Amino acid sequence: MIHAVFIFNTSGTPRLTKFYSPLKSPDLTTTIPQKIFKLVSSRPQGACNFLDVPDLDLTSELNIDRSDNRLCIVYRNYATLYFVFVVDGAESELGILDLIQVFVESLDRAFKNVCELDLVFHFDEVHAILAEIIQGGLVLETNVGEISRMVEEGYKARKASYAAANPLSLSGGVMGGMSRGGNSNVSTPLSSFQSPIGWLTERITGLNAR
């Protein structure tokens, strides 16, 4: 099972935190990522991407079955971002390493060479992509094309919902206006999106100019 997924920048700031196992204390949502980043970031560049962490004693901090208390950290470093998965003995370390690559490729398709700013300003999109890959700590999909298709369908549904709830929105919603890499189905850039306030401001300015 996958117990947690994190994305850190090189300074240790979490850009994505997702727990699939309940925590015994709310404070652990900050302390566990700090411990894991300190451990991962201190490793040399050529070190193995698998890391057993008995010293962290994560089994005492997560509500998980102690019968399988071998937790492992699997991580990959891409430029300024660390992608970290916390898994138990039921998962293959090599399989999780490939799954991280699937996650990164899916993000690249959505944002065209994903960077830290994409994770900051479009965190909801990142969680939506992750939800297509992992549900309840179990791997749901590994085909990048299928993941992109399902995410796109979700965007279209939210776009239609936004347009129905906001009739003054001329572009049909923020979700559909997002510029997303190589996906030719979305051609309207985010900068061209006009909010209802912007629409009204233009009309008022035009009337004053007369």
Side-chain angles (χ1 to χ4, degrees):
M1 177 178 174
I2 299 170
H3 295 282
V5 175
F6 307 104
I7 301 178
F8 303 99
N9 63 13
T10 51
S11 300
T13 304
R15 293 309 184 192
L16 179 141
T17 301
K18 179 66 176 179
F19 288 96
Y20 294 100
S21 295
L23 299 173
K24 294 185 177 180
S25 169
D27 296 336
L28 295 175
T29 57
T30 56
T31 58
I32 288 179
Q34 289 171 356
K35 290 179 181 178
I36 291 176
F37 176 77
K38 185 177 180 180
L39 203 62
V40 169
S41 61
S42 62
R43 292 172 64 78
Q45 190 68 29
C48 179
N49 295 88
F50 315 143
L51 181 62
D52 288 320
V53 285
D55 294 340
L56 291 184
D57 193 22
L58 293 179
T59 52
S60 66
E61 298 174 335
L62 299 170
N63 283 320
I64 60 177
D65 185 4
R66 284 182 173 271
S67 62
D68 186 10
N69 57 7
R70 177 185 169 270
L71 291 184
C72 177
I73 291 176
V74 182
Y75 72 96
R76 295 187 80 161
N77 177 216
Y78 296 87
T80 61
L81 295 173
Y82 287 90
F83 290 75
V84 184
F85 281 50
V86 179
V87 302
D88 58 27
E91 299 292 341
S92 163
E93 288 90 347
L94 287 174
I96 295 299
L97 205 59
D98 287 339
L99 191 65
I100 295 176
Q101 182 64 29
V102 168
F103 186 25
V104 172
E105 288 182 12
S106 299
L107 291 173
D108 277 339
R109 281 202 182 189
F111 299 111
K112 193 176 182 180
N113 297 325
V114 63
C115 66
E116 186 177 350
L117 288 178
D118 294 320
L119 306 183
V120 173
F121 292 111
H122 302 292
F123 63 91
D124 52 339
E125 326 292 339
V126 178
H127 279 277
I129 293 171
L130 182 62
E132 294 296 336
I133 301 173
I134 303 170
Q135 285 285 348
L138 301 177
V139 178
L140 186 66
E141 182 61 68
T142 59
N143 185 294
V144 176
E146 184 66 16
I147 293 167
S148 298
R149 185 184 69 81
M150 295 302 296
V151 170
E152 179 61 31
E153 287 184 2
Y155 288 142
K156 289 180 179 178
R158 286 190 286 271
K159 176 181 176 180
S161 176
Y162 183 91
N166 299 271
L168 290 179
S169 174
L170 301 182
S171 63
V174 175
M175 306 301 291
M178 177 181 164
S179 178
R180 296 175 45 232
N183 196 326
S184 59
N185 293 330
V186 181
S187 57
T188 308
L190 183 62
S191 58
S192 67
F193 169 73
Q194 187 177 39
S195 66
I197 294 177
W199 182 85
L200 289 174
T201 303
E202 277 192 6
R203 295 302 180 272
I204 294 172
T205 304
L207 288 175
N208 290 339
R210 295 177 187 174

